[in-house]
Amino acid sequence: MKYGYFDDEKKEYVITRPDTPAPWVNYLGSPEYGAIVSNNAGGYSFAKSGANGRILRYVFNQFDEPGRYIYIRDNESRDFWSASWQPVGKDLSEYKSECHHGTAYTKMMADYSGIHSEVRYYVPLGKSYEVWSLAITNDTDKVRSVNVTGYAEFTNNSNYEQDQVNLQYSQFITKSVFHDNRVRQMIHANLDQIENGKEVDNKIVVNRFFGLAGAEVQSWCGDKEEFLGRYHGYGNPQGVINGKLNNQGNYNENGCGALTTALSIAPGETKEIAFLVGMKDDAEAGEIVASYTDTASVCKEELEELISYWHKQLSHFQVKTPSPEFDTMINTWNAYNCFMTFIWSRAASFTYCGLRNGYGYRDTVQDIQGVIHLAPEMAVEKIRFMLSAQVDNGGGLPLVKFTHNPGHEDTPDDASYVQETGHPAYRADDALWLFPTVYKYVSETGNVDFIDEVIPFANKDEGTVYEHLKRAIDFSMNHLGKHGMPAGLYADWNDCLRLGKDGESTFVALQFYYAMTILKEFAAYKKDESYIGYLDECQKNLGNLIQDLCWNEDRFIRGFTENGEVIGKRDDPEANMWLNPQSWAVISGLADEKQGDLALQQVYDRLNTEYGAILMDPPYHAHAFDGALAVIYNAGTKENAGIFSQSQGWIILAEALRGHGERAFEYFMENAPAAQNDRAEIRRLEPYCYGQFTEGKASPNFGRSHVHWLTGTASTVMVGCVEGILGMRPDFYGLHIAPSVPKAWDEFEIDKDFRGCHLHITVKNPNHAESGCKKLLVNGQEMEGNYIPEEILTAETVVELYLS
Ligand code: NOJ
């Protein structure tokens, strides 16, 4: 079943049926002011932290309420509806609507009772408040008198938990007042006489506002219960039914902002107003609302600026292939999803409140990879930040606090860090993700000098980027298990695999092997011969160990427990086949071709499904070892044999690296949200963004997906597609082009900005190959192999590649 379509021109997803199988959302704003809005206007806002800066309330597990509601009431008939289908939920035979989720804005159009409304939700570029701009048109031939009421439900405390579960406290620190054109909600306002700047019990006065521009406020309410009315809900608020709000604020209990304006709209006339929400002191709130006096033109300009900003970001890499699903994901939605995970990490969504008050090390370092080809300058800022969160022993801080203070942080070795973050120990993989990330950045930009840049360590000291990478190698060398392979520590990439300090992880061993290959390239650039010698020897030993200990006839095992028990061997009753060691054996370059192909074939035969490859098989149930935490999940779910979408990116990449274009693309299509648009009722999640996982074949809900938007999938699939399927593989000195595509693709085009030049690449495939380069022409000149050295690039470089 379909609920909407992709408008690729405008880079929007248009929802034509509002009764979607789940709230389908969009992200607005920046870390300064974040907002999530669903197609039915559900969602919340926060400043800096989803957990500690919560401004608008959203109740999890409550379907999709509350939200940024705009009610429209016909004052003659007294009938009322909402600018989004819900919360009033008029009969869909009479109420027609569309929701357009775009790049950092959402528009909702509705037609009901001869009134057309269009609301646009956005956070203006560089600003830290939100706008709900509304255009309302009378499509009938008589004058219409309507009330428009905006409703914003404020939290009683910026801390999400306090607001939700500690009502004996949070309901008694809030009050609201009205003046001019806005409701002012205050928290701890009784502290206003305390000396300016002085903190009392860590609490200072917090001000929020809900204002109206473009029309006069006719009545207002600052008290949730008064607005809704006892035994009424968001679908039939008493304040809207009455046609007039009670003009009273709250003193204790639950605050809100509700503003009604009465509009008389002539036939064919459109009126424009805007509701504004933010967390600002009163004077600033007044200035903000005043700046929208010329409502229609200010909002129009702001939206245009926002759209052109995002479209420019996405323009740096665009493709035109025979697959509309691939194009819409790479050109817009996967790319935008990468920016969102890059910006928000796992901060806040409809499935997570943002309690983790910081960045997960591995997540963030991986997320960076997804935007390097689009915004390398943005990426390098984050790389610096993450390097500054590396401990001087080379390990990563499992959680990097939003307040991270390089050079002065405690580490997992300190009780204080453990207590504050809840992370009791190092994870085996964290710092190893730096290798591909730093390499991709340097190769995309050619900025080799970056490796000499000095960056502090998290706790003390500083070192060049090169030194940071060397310390990451030291960390793994200093944390080896019983056989001499990297220890699994508190977890490797898989949160649910606790292998401990004596157990060993094949995945980490493969990452480590790969890290050494990358570092050798940096060392060669530095002419650091003795270090190359050291890495050569370490890598050879590690390679031999992996081959001797981990290759099990046709697959790589997953690792060893602390007692030396093998995980993931062929004859285990459960979890005898794992996805990641197979893909990573290829990505890392450890597997020889025969092994690689055998292992990938096992994945296809044993793990692949119509929605992607499951993480392992069979699921844990009766034979889980102590560190196999995945057994807590239902079979076919999450790490317990779910289709963990992040791993899908790696299998795409691995198949592509082996030149298997058909397979790589098949894996892409199986899990691509856009490819499931016409069976959206099965996937349930938004058809334009990735989810953390899809329920696997062991689940009765096979195909249902979960944990939208903020997932490492965005970056791994992006890398799998850009480096793998499209074969864009820069190195320090130029660009390799090695596509692995479906045989049926006759031709495709790539437009890529690269080191200050624009590349227009056409790949021709007259012989219907799936990989291999027959001929490469750059500005008409034939190249050797499939490599373009940087020095021959021109401002407008025309590239033609013929597949063999
Ligand atoms: C989600 C976590 O955010 C991520 O760090 C982890 O790698 C995956 N789960 C797999 O367990």
Side-chain angles (χ1 to χ4, degrees):
M1 202 179 290
K2 246 188 186 163
Y3 294 81
Y5 65 91
F6 291 91
D7 181 339
D8 289 328
E9 198 67 24
K10 293 201 174 116
K11 298 194 177 292
E12 289 180 346
Y13 184 82
V14 182
I15 298 166
T16 47
R17 274 188 65 162
D19 54 340
T20 49
W24 285 1
V25 316
N26 200 4
Y27 278 76
L28 316 175
S30 71
E32 287 302 304
Y33 189 98
I36 310 177
V37 62
S38 79
N39 54 315
N40 276 306
Y44 59 91
S45 312
F46 55 92
K48 295 201 169 118
S49 157
N52 289 316
R54 195 62 71 97
I55 298 167
L56 292 187
R57 182 180 290 141
Y58 183 77
V59 181
F60 287 178
N61 276 328
Q62 187 56 36
F63 192 59
D64 187 18
E65 289 180 334
R68 300 170 177 84
Y69 296 145
I70 296 180
Y71 299 92
I72 302 167
R73 177 184 189 266
D74 181 329
N75 290 331
E76 202 174 300
S77 68
R78 301 185 182 186
D79 190 12
F80 62 91
W81 59 100
S82 37
S84 42
W85 177 53
Q86 294 293 331
V88 178
K90 285 291 186 190
D91 192 319
L92 287 174
S93 61
E94 293 172 53
Y95 181 97
K96 300 292 165 207
S97 74
E98 275 190 1
C99 168
H100 295 220
H101 283 313
T103 47
Y105 66 90
T106 286
K107 291 184 190 176
M108 289 176 204
M109 292 82 159
D111 286 283
Y112 181 78
S113 169
I115 299 288
H116 176 79
S117 59
E118 178 175 326
V119 54
R120 306 116 184 172
Y121 297 102
Y122 66 94
V123 174
L125 205 60
K127 300 283 168 51
S128 47
Y129 57 85
E130 67 188 73
V131 182
W132 316 351
S133 113
L134 177 78
I136 181 160
T137 306
N138 177 0
D139 282 338
T140 64
D141 53 12
K142 60 175 190 158
V143 176
R144 301 289 294 269
S145 157
V146 295
N147 273 4
V148 175
T149 301
Y151 175 74
E153 187 162 319
F154 293 118
T155 53
N156 291 327
N157 192 285
S158 301
N159 180 280
Y160 167 79
E161 274 188 314
Q162 293 295 327
D163 178 62
Q164 290 288 308
V165 301
N166 194 6
L167 274 52
Q168 61 81 28
Y169 157 68
S170 58
Q171 288 204 333
F172 307 105
I173 54 175
T174 162
K175 62 182 178 184
S176 55
V177 294
F178 174 85
H179 62 90
D180 298 331
N181 40 16
R182 61 191 184 275
V183 174
R184 175 184 176 195
Q185 191 231 10
M186 294 163 279
I187 296 168
H188 295 129
N190 203 44
L191 304 180
D192 61 353
Q193 295 304 305
I194 304 290
E195 203 182 318
N196 201 10
K198 185 171 166 203
E199 291 198 359
V200 177
D201 193 15
N202 287 327
K203 300 172 188 74
I204 47 171
V205 185
V206 173
N207 282 283
R208 282 89 167 263
F209 72 97
F210 184 59
L212 174 67
E216 288 301 310
V217 173
Q218 182 236 6
S219 59
W220 70 281
C221 178
D223 184 299
K224 172 184 169 178
E225 278 76 10
E226 288 294 323
F227 173 74
L228 292 181
R230 210 79 199 138
Y231 305 110
H232 283 243
Y234 299 108
N236 59 352
Q238 196 64 64
V240 174
I241 294 171
N242 292 349
K244 190 170 185 321
L245 306 179
N246 68 352
N247 291 333
Q248 279 176 27
N250 77 306
Y251 186 95
N252 297 333
E253 299 200 333
N254 290 299
C256 75
L259 298 171
T260 294
T261 185
L263 303 176
S264 170
I265 318 177
E269 189 192 7
T270 298
K271 290 219 156 129
E272 299 238 6
I273 61 172
F275 294 99
L276 300 140
V277 185
M279 183 151 85
K280 300 284 179 193
D281 66 33
D282 195 41
E284 202 180 339
E287 283 167 23
I288 291 169
V289 181
S291 70
Y292 286 82
T293 308
D294 196 357
T295 316
S297 64
V298 174
C299 293
K300 183 168 177 278
E301 240 170 69
E302 283 182 339
L303 250 182
E304 281 171 4
E305 187 188 21
L306 195 59
I307 291 170
S308 75
Y309 170 82
W310 277 107
H311 288 195
K312 175 97 187 111
Q313 294 286 23
L314 303 179
S315 72
H316 300 301
F317 191 88
Q318 293 285 299
V319 296
K320 212 187 285 168
T321 74
S323 164
E325 296 87 357
F326 188 80
D327 290 1
T328 202
M329 292 309 296
I330 300 306
N331 293 341
T332 303
W333 291 101
N334 191 358
Y336 185 59
N337 201 167
C338 284
F339 276 111
M340 293 305 108
T341 53
F342 175 84
I343 291 172
W344 302 109
S345 183
R346 306 296 174 267
S349 68
F350 275 17
T351 42
Y352 188 59
C353 73
L355 207 54
R356 183 172 81 169
N357 225 352
Y359 301 95
Y361 202 92
R362 72 158 80 94
D363 293 343
T364 306
V365 177
Q366 290 174 83
D367 291 343
I368 295 168
Q369 294 182 14
V371 304
I372 287 175
H373 66 300
L374 295 165
E377 292 318 313
M378 214 187 235
V380 74
E381 280 305 308
K382 230 1 169 333
I383 294 176
R384 288 190 180 102
F385 178 75
M386 294 313 291
L387 285 163
S388 82
Q390 196 188 356
V391 180
D392 68 336
N393 67 7
L397 285 177
L399 186 92
V400 188
K401 291 178 281 173
F402 288 144
T403 55
H404 178 62
N405 186 7
H408 303 281
E409 290 293 346
D410 293 341
T411 74
D413 299 318
D414 302 307
S416 48
Y417 178 86
V418 178
Q419 200 187 354
E420 194 181 349
T421 65
H423 283 269
Y426 290 101
R427 294 179 305 206
D429 65 324
D430 277 337
L432 291 176
W433 293 105
L434 290 169
F435 291 87
T437 302
V438 172
Y439 181 80
K440 285 177 208 302
Y441 163 72
V442 172
S443 304
E444 183 66 36
T445 57
N447 179 14
V448 252
D449 292 344
F450 179 61
I451 61 177
D452 291 323
E453 191 171 313
V454 175
I455 291 175
F457 288 97
N459 50 336
K460 61 173 155 63
D461 296 344
E462 59 181 25
T464 60
V465 171
Y466 184 53
E467 176 64 23
H468 276 260
L469 296 178
K470 283 174 145 185
R471 299 256 186 121
I473 297 284
D474 294 345
F475 180 86
S476 293
M477 287 306 278
N478 292 330
H479 291 86
L480 298 176
K482 283 185 179 154
H483 301 94
M485 292 206 325
L489 304 184
Y490 195 65
D492 66 7
W493 167 85
N494 188 328
D495 292 324
C496 298
L497 207 53
R498 189 154 306 153
L499 297 169
K501 69 176 176 37
D502 291 323
E504 288 153 313
S505 157
T506 311
F507 189 173
V508 179
L510 293 164
Q511 279 189 283
F512 192 30
Y513 185 89
Y514 185 42
M516 292 193 235
T517 304
I518 291 172
L519 194 51
K520 279 196 279 183
E521 282 202 42
F522 285 119
Y525 176 78
K526 301 278 306 169
K527 302 196 173 38
D528 192 349
E529 299 304 334
S530 62
Y531 195 63
I532 294 177
Y534 167 76
L535 287 178
D536 271 338
E537 198 186 322
C538 293
Q539 197 182 29
K540 193 160 152 258
N541 291 342
L542 179 65
N544 289 340
L545 276 175
I546 301 173
Q547 288 291 6
D548 291 350
L549 298 167
C550 304
W551 178 244
N552 184 209
E553 287 182 40
D554 53 7
R555 72 200 62 191
F556 287 90
I557 60 157
R558 188 61 177 82
F560 297 92
T561 66
E562 298 235 278
N563 322 323
E565 197 187 321
V566 179
I567 307 155
K569 59 178 182 339
R570 296 181 96 238
D571 51 4
D572 285 345
E574 291 173 357
N576 56 34
M577 174 70 197
W578 291 73
L579 173 59
N580 291 334
Q582 321 314 327
S583 53
W584 270 83
V586 174
I587 294 169
S588 66
L590 176 276
D592 61 38
E593 288 186 3
K594 198 166 151 229
Q595 269 179 329
D597 287 350
L598 258 176
L600 294 183
Q601 189 58 40
Q602 278 299 311
V603 169
Y604 192 74
D605 294 344
R606 282 287 313 279
L607 304 180
N608 195 32
T609 75
E610 62 193 283
Y611 299 108
I614 56 176
L615 197 61
M616 48 79 148
D617 194 51
Y620 279 123
H621 183 49
H623 299 275
F625 70 98
D626 281 352
L629 309 183
V631 71
I632 58 174
Y633 293 121
N634 291 332
T637 305
K638 289 187 66 116
E639 284 92 338
N640 197 15
I643 298 158
F644 215 93
S645 311
Q646 194 179 358
S647 297
Q648 201 75 8
W650 296 324
I651 193 73
I652 293 171
L653 181 61
E655 290 285 7
L657 289 173
R658 291 288 309 115
H660 304 156
E662 290 281 334
R663 280 273 164 89
F665 191 70
E666 187 177 343
Y667 283 121
F668 165 80
M669 285 295 276
E670 286 166 357
N671 206 246
Q676 295 176 57
N677 192 38
D678 54 3
R679 42 186 169 132
E681 78 287 2
I682 299 174
R683 183 171 188 266
R684 293 207 186 172
L685 284 194
E686 297 91 330
Y688 47 88
C689 74
Y690 278 101
Q692 186 198 59
F693 76 100
T694 301
E695 291 179 53
K697 58 191 181 184
S699 159
N701 306 307
F702 180 39
R704 188 169 67 176
S705 300
H706 302 269
V707 193
H708 61 174
W709 278 100
L710 303 185
T711 154
T713 312
S715 77
T716 60
V717 177
M718 184 52 99
V719 170
C721 292
V722 173
E723 271 185 44
I725 293 175
L726 298 170
M728 298 286 106
R729 298 183 202 148
D731 69 8
F732 296 172
Y733 312 105
L735 176 69
H736 290 275
I737 307 188
S740 282
V741 297
K743 289 179 188 159
W745 285 14
D746 284 320
E747 186 174 313
F748 61 97
E749 291 169 38
I750 303 168
D751 277 284
K752 174 175 171 56
D753 290 334
F754 185 59
R755 302 189 188 180
C757 301
H758 176 80
L759 275 54
H760 180 74
I761 303 166
T762 308
V763 178
K764 297 190 173 163
N765 192 14
N767 300 325
H768 296 286
E770 51 176 342
S771 56
C773 170
K774 190 169 172 199
K775 189 160 70 168
L776 173 64
L777 300 173
V778 178
N779 291 332
Q781 183 193 338
E782 187 157 354
M783 300 283 102
E784 240 178 66
N786 64 344
Y787 188 65
I788 310 177
E790 180 183 357
E791 56 276 10
I792 68 160
L793 295 176
T794 52
E796 292 294 328
T797 306
V798 178
V799 179
E800 274 177 287
L801 183 135
Y802 291 82
L803 290 182
S804 39

